[in-house]
């Protein structure tokens, strides 16, 4: 069996999410990776991809059409390469999620999104109902197209391999969509739903003023700031900070809950976080029942100390 | 956009419970060509229904005699029943139940999900041409020239500070020649109609109970479909009315619940915690082991019975169901009485409509000669006996009244106090010691509220308002230590900064629309308004 | 411009789903069903395009059980002009849905199809992209802003770590993300009027599409509950664990 993994390489580097997709594909036989991008980034991206261990070959396609990860040319390319592969895999990122279903339709395949476990070459586990249910599916399609829930797979190493690079001639296609502009929010704080790290505060912060203690920590971690309902209702922070049943549902790699008791309404919004840290003065607080690491104490001392320790 | 739309109907019904739906069906049977519109504040019919429920099919037999052929969700007949007097560790089974508590004989009755029954009634009603609109709350009563002319539905899209948001949609006038208020216990429009037409003049104060319910799925080997258990006594003291139920029904489901009489005196009492700890009693505990809790909900109910029934009609309409107070408390049943009251009101409306009379006043006469009156009359002295003499002597009286006097006692016992007048100062009462929730059989309040699926659009004015916020500290806090944080079964009320500068926090988002705060608040300072339509609990099937 | 808005009837977002004891599926008996929230946003966006004079007709489609007609009535009450129900026993997979929608697109010839980015029941996030592939139309997924331009649409989409804007030639497919708009309420008078708007019913089996599932459901389960981890004694220990054990910083 052979799998093709589509990498998000448009900026010339290979992100961790794509390396998680490679890790997921490891059980699916030989792995080729597909690297695409504009003429000015492709060489760097291909070189980075070639260093990833365990890759059979790196296939590249470049051109203006590939500079911004547009779904139409990428899907057409995947369709053209599909005869060589049993599985086509991508991380469940914006590009993977946009491209793979389109390619799957053209291949008459029912694609399988957000795979969190690969049982065997045709059996997959994925979340439904916002992660409240896990379903195990067996595909009867001859070819399988998957996107990978990256939090479920530890990424492979970035260095250590030396795979050969093969440049492809992409299929011609009429361009019906065109990239206009990007507005990256790299300097500001990330959005809650997209953040890799979230620092979140609750009643324990005591006031809007007290809540500000979280900002240096969030800055240090490149984290988004969230809040419990009580903190929002008490006016510490605006409504759109709210994480929980009636707010945003998040699943970052790291969720640091400061002064949050952990009522189920809040847990419903963050229980899928990969690692949960709880800082609370009440050692009976329910948040400790879900936290991987708990620290009992005064958050007005702990949070600045943590920020400093990370410094 | 700001101009209010107006729709005219022959009859407008507020509330999609058994009373409103039975009335709607009866109206269409009597007047198939007249228009009937029913609104329901829940997001769908059944979304706000909480009941045990063992129901007696008597009213349904009269309303839809062929209901058995219509796929009605009455499929668990009562097969066995037991009543216990509990002490903390023991349970005394009441012998010869059909004789000493004949009102509790459940032969021929069914264990149901009343929400499912209402959903089914709604499909029957819609098939007959009743227009049903869930997700719309009645916000005000239209009263013109001394006559109820319909209702106003709530505005949608008002922001928290009371201004019109981008999605503002004004409420509309639903005008009816007749309007039926079927809002259930302590309806907010019913309250206004009662006040405006002085309907409670000369009757006893209403007394209420708070029912808190859970639905569990239990292991098949413990499930006995049709088994009906009731208990009284522990954990309540002798002065507090109430008890628990456990009904087995459906596919491995049990309905467990607890009713606390809201005329209780100890401000430390927490109906929620009484309900939770009763699950630990051996009579109940065995059924919960290995089970999983599925649904949680709560609702107040009217317990006063006949003496507390207000005048039922007024120009332009009538009160029906538990909005009026038709529950038969000793029987622990209100569905058949609610339905019957709706049917009688429908018949009165048909007669008034034919005569072009403004008030369907034959409702009262029709009630007088119906089995409904007979039934309520026979039961009338039992609940007040408990209020007067406490649980044990009240139960003894109830046995005598029912078994020997057969409800025909030549006297009538009365209620003397409204439930908000019965609390004693906190300092003079011992706080009960409630066990910590174990997370398996007993649970904390917020985890429970989670299972009611309650939700309210965030950006709207709070629907629970203090008339005079300054009253809270000297009265609710200083005298009673904020009883609302304990009687509210949904953790709506919270005291912040209790040690320094206590203040009341109202988490209106959690509200399950039980109405207890509107009833029990000592100064009657909390007003329950209808929130934006569709808000509140979303009880699923099986509730 | 004519807009087609496919919508799906799903378990209401307020309802906590639970897996049946036999693991064969989730409990749906008596569970409240509603329009998929992302589809509601799609309907709203179509309405706004009509209010701006860009669109002239809004057609809404749902594929599923007869009760999906209620969901279509909601879209009609919000303001859609007419509706088509493609009736089928169960909810088909996105590939089959896309094939059915392609037939309707060929028949109705809309200039734009707007639909939710995903349904909140199966969370597949695929139908829009699949339909775009089958039609060979351009697509813009996860839209947070849609503008008519002289020669097509400018769509801002939410991508990892920010947003980007694409120019699409028409006809095109747009899938709606949460921030695109806040859907309006279906006002009571409009709900009443919606009962009289045209709703056509087609049997899915009459369209000649194979609805057989490609993905057999072997089992459903609730995810294992999170277990309590450890309590650390100090900030230094916490940092050490996060760095070397959890490897998240």
């Amino acid at each position: 069996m052979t799998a093709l993994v589509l990498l998000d390489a448009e900026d010339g580097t290979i992100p961790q999410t794509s390396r998680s997709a490679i890790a997921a594909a490891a059980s699916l036989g030989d792995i080729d990776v597909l690297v695409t991008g504009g003429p000015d980034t492709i060489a760097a991206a291909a070189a980075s991809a070639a260093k990833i261990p365990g890759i059979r070959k790196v296939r590249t396609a470049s051109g203006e059409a590939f500079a911004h990860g547009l779904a139409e040319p990428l899907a057409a390319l995947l369709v053209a390469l599909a005869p060589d592969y049993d599985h086509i895999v991508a991380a469940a990122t914006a590009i993977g999620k946009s491209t793979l279903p389109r390619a799957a339709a053209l291949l008459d395949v029912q694609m399988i999104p957000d795979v969190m476990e690969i049982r065997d070459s045709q059996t997959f586990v994925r979340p439904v109902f916002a992660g409240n249910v896990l379903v195990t599916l067996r595909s009867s399609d001859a070819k399988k197209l998957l996107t990978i829930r990256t939090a479920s797979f530890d990424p492979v190493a970035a260095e250590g391999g030396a795979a050969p690079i093969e440049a492809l001639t992409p299929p011609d296609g009429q361009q019906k969509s065109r990239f206009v502009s990007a507005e990256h929010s790299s300097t500001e704080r990330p959005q809650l739903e997209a953040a890799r790290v979230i620092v979140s505060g609750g009643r324990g912060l005591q006031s809007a003023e007290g809540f500000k203690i979280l900002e240096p920590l969030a800055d240090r971690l490149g984290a988004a700031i969230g809040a419990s309902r009580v903190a929002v209702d008490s006016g510490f922070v605006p409504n759109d900070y709210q994480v929980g049943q009636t707010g945003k549902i998040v699943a970052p790699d790291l969720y640091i809950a400061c002064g949050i008791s952990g009522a189920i309404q809040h847990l419903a919004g963050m229980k899928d976080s990969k690692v949960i840290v709880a800082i609370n003065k009440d050692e009976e607080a329910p948040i400790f029942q879900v936290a991987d690491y708990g620290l009992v104490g005064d958050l007005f001392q702990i949070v600045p100390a943590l920020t400093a320790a990370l410094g | 956009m700001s101009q209010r739309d107006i729709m005219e109907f022959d009859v407008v019904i507020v509330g999609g419970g058994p009373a409103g739906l039975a009335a709607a069906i009866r109206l269409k049977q009597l007047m198939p060509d007249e228009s009937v519109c029913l609104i329901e504040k829940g997001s769908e019919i059944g979304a706000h229904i909480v009941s045990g429920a063992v129901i007696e099919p008597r009213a349904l037999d009269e309303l839809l005699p062929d209901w058995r052929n219509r796929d009605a969700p009455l499929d668990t007949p009562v097969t066995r029943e037991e009543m216990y007097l509990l002490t903390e560790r023991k349970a005394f089974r009441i012998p010869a139940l059909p004789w000493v508590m004949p009102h509790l004989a459940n032969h021929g009755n069914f264990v149901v999900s009343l929400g499912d029954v209402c959903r089914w009634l709604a499909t029957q009603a819609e098939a007959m041409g009743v227009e049903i609109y869930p997700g719309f709350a009645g916000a005000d009563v239209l009263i013109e020239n001394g006559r109820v002319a319909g209702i106003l539905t709530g505005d949608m899209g008002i922001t928290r500070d009371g201004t019109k948001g981008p999605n503002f949609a004004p409420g509309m006038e639903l005008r009816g020649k007749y309007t039926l208020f079927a809002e259930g216990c302590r309806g907010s429009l019913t309250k206004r109609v009662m006040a405006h037409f002085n309907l409670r003049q000369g009757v006893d104060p209403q007394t209420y109970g708070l029912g808190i319910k859970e639905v569990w799925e239990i292991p098949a080997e413990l499930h006995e479909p049709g088994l009906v258990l009731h208990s009284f006594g522990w954990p309540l003291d002798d002065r507090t009315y109430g008890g628990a139920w456990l009904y087995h029904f459906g596919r491995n489901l049990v309905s467990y619940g607890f009713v606390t009489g809201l005329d209780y005196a100890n401000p430390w009492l927490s109906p929620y915690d009484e309900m939770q700890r009763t699950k630990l009693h051996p009579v109940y505990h065995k059924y919960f082991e290995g089970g999983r809790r599925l649904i949680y909900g709560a609702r107040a109910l009217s317990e006063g019975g006949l003496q507390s029934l207000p005048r039922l009609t007024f120009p332009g309409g009538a009160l029906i169901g538990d909005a009026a107070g038709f529950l038969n408390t000793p029987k622990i049943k209100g569905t058949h009485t609610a339905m019957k009251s709706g049917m009688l009101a429908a018949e009165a409306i048909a007669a008034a409509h034919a005569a072009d009379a403004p008030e369907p006043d034959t409702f009262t006469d029709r009630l007088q000669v119906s089995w409904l009156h007979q039934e309520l009359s026979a039961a009338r002295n039992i609940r007040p006996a408990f209020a007067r003499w406490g649980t044990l002597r009240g139960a003894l009286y109830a046995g005598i009244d029912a078994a020997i006097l057969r409800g025909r006692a030549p006297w009538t016992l009365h209620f003397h106090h409204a439930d908000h007048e019965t609390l004693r100062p906190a300092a003079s009462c011992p706080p009960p010691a409630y066990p910590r929730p174990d997370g398996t059989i007993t649970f904390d309040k917020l985890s429970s509220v989670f299972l009611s699926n309650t939700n309210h659009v965030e950006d709207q004015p709070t629907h629970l308002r203090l008339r005079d916020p300054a009253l809270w500290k000297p009265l609710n806090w200083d005298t009673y230590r904020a009883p609302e944080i304990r009687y509210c079964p949904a953790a709506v009320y919270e005291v912040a900064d209790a040690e320094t500068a206590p203040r009341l926090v109202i988490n209106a988002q959690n509200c399950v629309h039980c109405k207890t705060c509107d009833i029990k608040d000592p100064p009657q300072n909390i007003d329950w308004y209808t929130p934006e339509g569709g808000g509140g609990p979303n009880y699923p099937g099986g509730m | 411009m004519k807009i087609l808005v496919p919508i799906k009837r799903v378990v209401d977002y307020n309802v906590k789903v639970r897996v049946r004891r036999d693991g064969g599926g989730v409990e749906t008996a008596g569970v409240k069903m509603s329009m998929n929230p992302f589809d509601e946003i799609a309907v709203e966006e179509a309405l706004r395009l009509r209010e701006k004079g860009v669109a002239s007709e809004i057609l809404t489609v749902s594929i599923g059980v007869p009760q999906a007609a209620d969901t279509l009535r909601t879209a009609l009450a919000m303001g859609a002009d007419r509706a088509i129900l493609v009736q089928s026993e169960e909810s088909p997979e996105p590939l089959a849905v896309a094939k059915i929608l392609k037939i309707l697109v060929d028949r109705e010839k809309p200039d734009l199809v707007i639909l939710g980015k995903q349904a909140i029941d199966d969370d597949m996030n695929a139908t829009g992209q699949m339909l775009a592939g089958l039609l060979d139309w351009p697509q813009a997924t996860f839209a947070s802003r849609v503008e008519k331009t002289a020669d097509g649409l400018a769509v801002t989409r939410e991508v990892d770590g920010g947003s980007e804007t694409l120019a699409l030639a028409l006809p095109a497919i747009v899938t709606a993300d949460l921030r695109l708009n806040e859907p309006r309420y279906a006002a009571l008078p409009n709900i009443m009027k919606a009962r009289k708007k045209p709703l056509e019913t087609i049997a899915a089996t009459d369209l000649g599409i194979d609805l057989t599932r490609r993905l057999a459901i072997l089992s459903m389960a609730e995810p294992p509950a999170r277990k309590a981890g450890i309590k650390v004694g100090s900030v230094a220990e916490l940092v050490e664990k996060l760095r070397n054990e959890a490897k998240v910083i």
Side-chain angles (χ1 to χ4, degrees):
Chain A
M1 286 192 310
T2 316
L4 178 69
V5 182
L6 170 67
L7 307 185
D8 286 352
E10 280 65 23
D11 68 354
T13 63
I14 310 299
Q16 181 178 316
T17 49
S18 287
R19 287 188 283 115
S20 287
I22 294 170
S27 64
L28 298 173
D30 292 333
I31 297 175
D32 290 352
V33 296
L34 176 60
V35 172
T36 58
D40 50 338
T41 60
I42 192 72
S48 298
K51 285 186 210 152
I52 297 172
I55 306 283
R56 189 176 69 172
K57 69 180 166 191
V58 176
R59 310 184 82 177
T60 67
S62 78
E64 273 313 311
F66 295 106
H68 301 288
L70 292 180
E72 292 90 326
L74 267 179
L77 178 61
L78 288 176
V79 170
L81 297 175
D84 298 345
Y85 300 98
D86 305 292
H87 293 84
I88 298 176
V89 179
T93 56
I95 292 176
K97 289 189 288 189
S98 294
T99 305
L100 260 67
R102 186 176 178 111
L106 296 169
L107 294 165
D108 195 32
V109 168
Q110 177 53 60
M111 67 101 43
I112 307 161
D114 288 318
V115 169
M116 50 194 295
E117 187 188 333
I118 298 178
R119 290 271 168 84
D120 60 44
S121 65
Q122 52 186 0
T123 312
F124 309 93
V125 180
R126 63 176 300 265
V128 292
F129 291 99
N132 289 311
V133 178
L134 305 182
V135 60
T136 305
L137 298 166
R138 184 162 58 218
S139 168
S140 59
D141 284 317
K143 222 175 270 303
K144 282 89 180 169
L145 276 74
L146 325 170
T147 60
I148 298 299
R149 190 172 182 264
T150 54
S152 303
F153 296 90
D154 287 331
V156 296
E159 310 259 338
I165 298 171
E166 173 202 12
L168 301 163
T169 312
D172 285 334
Q174 194 199 341
Q175 282 289 98
K176 292 177 185 169
S177 66
R178 181 171 54 80
F179 174 81
V180 179
S181 63
E183 301 87 37
H184 284 281
S185 51
S186 51
T187 50
E188 303 167 32
R189 205 153 266 146
Q191 293 181 326
L192 267 175
E193 295 98 321
R196 205 185 65 77
V197 180
I198 294 174
V199 175
S200 203
R203 168 170 292 157
L205 274 309
Q206 292 174 4
S207 64
E209 202 52 43
F211 213 92
K212 295 204 171 79
I213 196 175
L214 300 184
E215 285 173 11
L217 178 60
D219 290 342
R220 177 64 198 81
L221 291 164
I225 293 186
S228 71
R229 223 196 111 71
V230 188
V232 170
D233 280 356
S234 307
F236 301 173
V237 285
N239 232 343
D240 57 350
Y241 278 55
Q242 190 185 324
V243 170
Q245 181 198 3
T246 54
K248 298 189 167 84
I249 313 275
V250 300
D253 288 349
L254 175 59
Y255 189 93
I256 304 182
C258 306
I260 292 177
S261 69
I264 191 164
Q265 287 76 358
H266 186 74
L267 301 186
M270 44 65 82
K271 66 177 164 36
D272 292 331
S273 305
K274 199 166 171 189
V275 173
I276 296 174
V277 170
I279 300 169
N280 203 303
K281 69 175 178 201
D282 173 12
E283 61 180 313
E284 299 284 333
I287 189 78
F288 288 117
Q289 289 162 22
V290 299
D292 299 279
Y293 304 106
L295 189 47
V296 179
D298 177 8
L299 63 90
F300 288 102
Q301 287 168 10
I302 292 173
V303 170
L306 179 58
T307 310
L310 293 166
Chain B
M1 274 299 277
S2 59
Q3 188 70 32
R4 289 201 187 280
D5 281 296
I6 297 174
M7 289 287 292
E8 309 235 8
F9 299 90
D10 292 297
V11 184
V12 172
I13 302 174
V14 185
L21 290 164
I25 291 172
R26 187 55 125 202
L27 282 164
K28 276 290 176 186
Q29 288 170 339
L30 298 168
M31 319 189 291
D33 299 329
E34 312 301 302
S35 57
V36 178
C37 168
L38 183 151
I39 61 163
E40 161 59 42
K41 70 179 162 58
S43 62
E44 62 170 355
I45 296 292
H48 287 183
I49 297 289
V50 183
S51 185
V54 173
I55 69 169
E56 188 177 304
R58 187 170 188 176
L60 185 57
D61 286 336
E62 293 177 9
L63 183 67
L64 298 167
D66 63 340
W67 61 266
R68 284 178 173 81
N69 306 326
R70 292 177 183 231
D71 214 15
L74 283 73
D75 33 31
T76 309
V78 175
T79 51
R80 190 158 77 83
E81 70 180 311
E82 291 173 357
M83 163 70 84
Y84 291 95
L85 169 64
L86 302 186
T87 65
E88 188 164 357
R89 295 194 207 300
K90 292 208 174 79
F92 301 96
R93 192 167 150 196
I94 307 299
L97 198 60
W99 190 76
V100 297
M101 294 186 174
H103 42 273
L104 270 174
N106 274 312
H107 181 76
N109 295 340
F110 295 85
V111 186
V112 300
S113 150
L114 190 59
D116 290 349
V117 171
C118 288
R119 287 181 187 93
W120 172 80
L121 280 172
T123 58
Q124 307 301 312
E126 278 191 310
M128 299 170 79
V130 177
E131 294 188 48
I132 298 182
Y133 299 105
F136 291 92
D140 211 346
V141 187
L142 301 171
I143 300 176
E144 293 166 1
N145 307 320
R147 174 178 180 162
V148 169
I151 58 111
L152 187 63
T153 65
D155 293 339
M156 309 284 262
I158 302 277
T159 63
R160 189 172 291 201
D161 58 15
T163 57
K164 293 173 184 174
N167 277 337
F168 173 73
M172 73 182 288
E173 289 183 8
L174 296 178
R175 295 180 156 271
K177 190 171 173 191
Y178 302 101
T179 304
L180 285 176
F181 294 89
E183 299 171 280
C185 173
R186 198 75 170 193
S188 47
L189 299 190
T190 303
K191 196 170 152 184
R192 267 172 246 185
V193 172
M194 281 189 192
H196 187 272
F197 293 101
N198 209 8
L199 301 180
R200 299 210 62 89
Q201 192 178 33
V203 302
D204 284 6
Q206 184 58 273
T207 187
Y208 301 88
L210 169 60
I212 307 179
K213 170 176 169 177
E214 295 177 349
V215 177
W216 285 63
E217 185 181 50
I218 65 167
E221 60 272 21
L222 298 175
H223 195 254
E224 184 186 335
L227 172 61
V228 166
L229 299 179
H230 289 112
S231 69
F232 63 107
W234 186 87
L236 298 177
D237 64 36
D238 193 61
R239 297 303 312 177
T240 308
Y241 183 76
W245 78 79
L246 183 84
Y247 306 150
H248 293 229
F249 73 110
R251 200 172 59 188
N252 297 330
L253 299 179
V254 298
S255 158
Y256 166 78
F258 196 96
V259 173
T260 306
L262 287 177
D263 55 349
Y264 69 82
N266 183 345
W268 298 106
L269 185 141
S270 161
Y272 176 84
D273 292 289
E274 301 295 351
M275 185 260 192
Q276 291 298 324
R277 69 167 163 173
T278 304
K279 278 187 278 183
L280 300 173
H281 194 282
V283 161
Y284 296 112
H285 185 268
K286 59 186 177 216
Y287 293 110
F288 296 115
E289 272 177 294
R292 62 170 175 169
R293 192 170 69 139
L294 307 178
I295 316 170
Y296 170 87
R299 185 73 174 92
L301 42 124
S302 311
E303 292 185 342
L306 199 65
Q307 298 89 308
S308 301
L309 270 187
R311 197 177 103 211
L312 297 168
T313 63
F314 43 83
L319 308 177
I320 58 175
D322 210 24
F326 276 105
L327 188 94
N328 182 338
T329 306
K331 218 178 200 180
I332 336 178
K333 285 181 191 60
T335 304
H336 67 296
T337 55
M339 290 178 69
K340 181 65 179 177
S341 72
M343 290 155 65
L344 293 170
E347 287 156 19
I349 282 179
H353 185 57
D356 206 24
E359 182 162 342
D361 49 11
T362 64
F363 179 21
T364 314
D365 313 326
R366 289 166 197 272
L367 173 65
Q368 288 291 339
V369 297
S370 73
W371 56 257
L372 175 54
H373 187 272
Q374 233 172 21
E375 190 183 310
L376 293 179
S377 175
R380 74 188 184 283
N381 282 330
I382 295 181
R383 176 65 180 91
F386 280 87
R388 180 176 294 195
W389 295 307
T391 300
L392 289 178
R393 288 183 295 157
L396 195 62
Y397 172 84
I400 295 167
D401 189 292
I404 297 167
L405 302 170
R406 299 188 168 273
R408 288 193 292 258
W411 57 82
T412 293
L413 303 176
H414 287 279
F415 299 101
H416 300 289
H417 301 286
D419 294 346
H420 66 271
E421 299 166 332
T422 58
L423 283 183
R424 289 205 298 264
S428 67
C429 297
Y434 296 117
R436 278 179 75 91
D438 60 23
T440 320
I441 298 205
T442 59
F443 301 91
D444 65 90
K445 242 185 222 181
L446 280 173
S447 312
S448 301
V449 175
F450 190 66
L451 293 178
S452 71
N453 298 325
T454 191
N455 193 20
H456 295 84
V457 172
E458 288 273 345
D459 198 9
Q460 63 175 312
T462 176
H463 69 279
L464 296 158
R465 299 175 208 161
L466 298 185
R467 288 185 200 175
D468 178 4
L471 272 183
W472 182 80
K473 171 74 170 58
L475 201 70
N476 291 49
W477 176 255
D478 292 346
T479 309
Y480 301 110
R481 276 295 179 273
E484 54 278 1
I485 65 178
R486 290 174 292 275
Y487 63 62
C488 173
V492 167
Y493 299 97
E494 227 182 320
V495 175
D497 305 324
E499 290 95 33
T500 49
R503 62 192 165 85
L504 184 67
V505 178
I506 302 180
N507 303 303
Q509 180 88 8
N510 289 346
C511 180
V512 296
H513 297 198
C514 77
K515 313 281 177 77
T516 302
C517 51
D518 196 277
I519 294 166
K520 187 67 176 168
D521 183 47
Q524 290 286 280
N525 193 27
I526 301 176
D527 266 322
W528 193 98
Y529 290 86
T530 43
E532 199 165 274
N538 286 282
Y539 299 131
M543 184 61 166
Chain C
M1 187 201 285
K2 180 170 170 179
I3 303 179
L4 175 72
V5 187
I7 62 175
K8 186 176 183 185
R9 176 178 183 266
V10 298
V11 172
D12 186 83
Y13 73 100
N14 282 315
V15 174
K16 276 110 213 158
V17 295
R18 64 173 198 270
V19 176
R20 292 202 312 259
R21 279 229 167 177
D22 61 11
V26 298
E27 192 59 73
T28 51
V31 166
K32 188 186 174 216
M33 307 294 283
S34 300
M35 192 191 309
N36 177 38
F38 292 108
D39 296 341
E40 238 180 298
I41 295 171
V43 172
E44 175 66 32
E45 196 60 22
L47 297 174
R48 290 186 186 189
L49 287 169
R50 191 179 61 191
E51 282 158 6
K52 285 181 200 154
V54 174
S56 50
E57 189 189 2
I58 299 168
L59 167 64
T60 179
V61 179
S62 192
I63 300 166
V65 293
Q67 294 89 322
D70 298 341
T71 313
L72 288 167
R73 292 282 174 210
T74 305
L76 294 173
M78 287 174 73
D81 297 299
R82 66 191 172 92
I84 300 175
L85 170 63
V86 180
Q87 208 171 302
S88 73
E89 286 296 311
E90 57 173 328
S91 179
E93 289 172 338
L95 179 61
V97 169
K99 289 176 180 177
I100 291 170
L101 291 176
K102 178 173 186 299
I103 291 175
L104 294 177
V105 166
D106 290 343
R107 188 183 100 173
E108 296 286 342
K109 310 235 174 328
D111 306 280
L112 175 62
V113 178
I114 309 183
L115 65 171
K117 70 166 179 175
Q118 69 192 68
I120 61 165
D121 50 4
D122 61 15
D123 287 332
M124 288 292 270
N125 182 357
T127 301
Q129 298 91 309
M130 292 190 132
L131 178 61
L134 296 178
L135 289 166
D136 195 23
W137 285 10
Q139 69 180 52
T141 48
F142 321 134
S144 59
R145 187 182 161 91
V146 177
E147 291 275 308
K148 178 77 178 75
T149 57
D151 53 351
L153 291 181
V155 181
T156 303
R157 35 192 311 264
E158 308 213 352
V159 295
D160 308 319
S163 59
E164 67 175 29
T165 303
L166 301 183
L168 304 186
L170 290 172
I173 307 274
V174 171
T175 76
D177 212 325
L178 204 59
R179 264 181 285 270
L180 182 56
N181 60 52
E182 197 185 319
R184 69 195 60 195
Y185 297 99
L188 195 43
N190 295 337
I191 294 175
M192 295 174 179
K193 282 176 211 149
R195 298 191 166 181
K196 299 187 179 76
K197 287 187 179 177
L199 193 156
E200 177 191 357
T201 303
I202 304 173
T205 45
D206 289 351
L207 296 176
I209 304 288
D210 180 9
L211 299 176
T212 315
R213 290 188 67 90
R214 307 286 185 87
L215 304 177
I217 296 173
L218 301 186
S219 69
M220 282 199 177
E222 280 162 25
R226 257 193 119 93
K227 290 205 176 68
I230 55 162
K231 292 237 171 82
V232 293
S234 68
V235 166
E237 191 187 344
L238 176 62
V239 171
E240 192 275 323
K241 295 280 186 197
L242 291 178
R243 277 214 174 104
N244 302 322
E245 192 175 88
K247 297 188 175 117
V248 285
I249 55 170

